[in-house]
């Protein structure tokens, strides 16, 4: 798929996929120790369930920090590709980070939004994406020109490959269902931090 020539689709045209399934598909395409930051909510639970990698960081605690943390990692290690996985509720709390990522023209960074239209982990309250907000359009408006909804699973894989191969920043919107995550992230923040720092080669 050529990103430039492919017709962009709207949120309501995108297939509703499964978060664990697409997370697994994404992880299977990582071959160069790419860093992956899983946002709070069920996003990092399914990243955890998709198999532990020392280059994964699981955000526990505050919403909206996957993209800013990923930006920090991308700035510190420009040779490494970095992917932020974030829920729709969480990115809505931190929209300014999209403008910062765009302004930095952060080549080695991709943000994947898992949009289930709810704050699922806290009981399924509806978010604004279910009421008309389109995070891909917002990202484009923030200046991330390479922003697209994944039409389906194979389009998602193509977008991930493109983001891993070519300069970003990228933003990939994924509509997902409200299935429970496949596992629960171990709540041990110091261990998560230490393993991630080792995984990035920052400490031994
Ligand atoms: C700043 C902040 N506000 C509220 C919370 C409580 N909280 C934790 S996760 C969450 C919902 C996350 O929603 P979303 O990012 O859409 O992910 P999902 O649960 O749907 O996977 C809320 C409200 C929090 N942890 N931090």
């Amino acid at each position: 798929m050529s990103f430039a020539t492919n017709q962009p689709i709207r949120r309501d045209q995108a297939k509703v996929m499964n978060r664990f399934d697409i997370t697994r598909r994404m992880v299977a395409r990582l071959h160069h120790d790419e860093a992956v930051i899983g946002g709070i909510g069920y996003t990092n639970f399914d990243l955890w369930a998709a198999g532990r990698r020392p280059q994964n960081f699981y955000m526990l605690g505050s919403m909206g920090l996957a993209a800013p943390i990923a930006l920090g990692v991308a700035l510190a290690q420009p040779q490494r590709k970095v992917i932020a996985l974030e829920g729709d509720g969480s990115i809505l709390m931190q929209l300014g980070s999209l403008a910062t990522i765009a302004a930095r023209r952060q080549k080695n960074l991709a943000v994947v939004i898992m949009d289930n239209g709810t704050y699922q982990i806290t009981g399924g309250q509806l978010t604004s994406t279910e009421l008309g907000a389109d995070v891909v359009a917002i990202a484009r408006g923030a200046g991330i020109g390479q922003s697209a909804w994944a039409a389906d699973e194979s389009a998602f894989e193509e977008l991930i490959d493109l983001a891993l191969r070519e300069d970003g920043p990228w933003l990939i919107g994924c509509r997902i269902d409200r299935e429970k995550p496949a596992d629960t992230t171990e709540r041990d923040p110091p261990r998560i931090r230490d393993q991630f720092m080792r995984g990035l080669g920052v400490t031994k």
Side-chain angles (χ1 to χ4, degrees):
M1 181 184 68
S2 156
F3 186 84
T5 55
N6 209 48
Q7 275 296 347
I9 60 162
R10 298 190 313 264
R11 180 181 189 270
D12 62 358
Q13 297 170 312
K15 180 179 172 191
V16 176
M17 303 181 285
N18 176 265
R19 182 180 43 230
F20 181 48
D21 176 50
I22 61 171
T23 303
R24 263 192 311 192
R25 287 171 189 258
M26 186 208 71
V27 170
R29 310 187 95 72
L30 305 177
H31 303 299
H32 300 285
D33 292 345
E34 296 88 347
V36 182
I37 318 298
I40 193 178
Y42 285 152
T43 300
N44 80 60
F45 284 33
D46 272 332
L47 178 63
W48 176 272
R52 255 71 89 208
R53 303 170 58 250
Q55 298 82 20
N56 287 358
F57 183 77
Y58 310 91
M59 182 59 208
L60 306 169
S62 288
M63 294 169 74
L65 291 187
I69 292 171
L71 174 60
V73 173
L75 283 165
Q77 299 197 340
Q79 304 312 321
R80 191 189 297 273
K81 287 277 187 181
V82 184
I83 300 178
L85 304 180
E86 189 64 292
D88 54 310
S90 294
I91 197 68
L92 285 167
M93 273 210 168
Q94 189 62 274
L95 292 175
S97 65
L98 299 179
T100 305
I101 288 165
R104 297 282 328 176
R105 297 190 171 83
Q106 198 61 42
K107 288 182 184 172
N108 55 333
L109 180 58
V111 179
V112 175
I113 306 297
M114 300 289 189
D115 183 357
N116 54 12
T118 63
Y119 302 99
Q120 191 181 0
I121 199 171
T122 50
Q125 305 86 354
L126 296 187
T127 68
S128 306
T129 67
E130 200 64 9
L131 306 167
D134 181 322
V135 291
V136 168
I138 290 170
R140 264 192 226 116
I144 304 180
Q146 299 183 126
S147 297
W149 285 104
D152 56 21
E153 289 83 355
S154 66
F156 173 73
E157 290 179 334
E158 285 176 39
L159 285 165
I160 290 291
D161 286 346
L162 206 52
L164 293 175
R165 200 173 59 233
E166 290 178 20
D167 285 352
W170 299 89
L171 184 131
I172 304 170
C174 299
R175 291 196 69 194
I176 54 156
D177 62 27
R178 294 170 188 170
E179 281 285 310
K180 283 263 158 68
D183 202 352
T184 303
T185 307
E186 204 176 283
R187 260 197 115 69
D188 190 345
R191 191 151 163 232
I192 290 171
R193 178 202 57 205
D194 292 347
Q195 283 179 347
F196 184 60
M197 288 176 75
R198 277 197 295 277
L200 295 193
V202 175
T203 55
K204 291 224 156 63

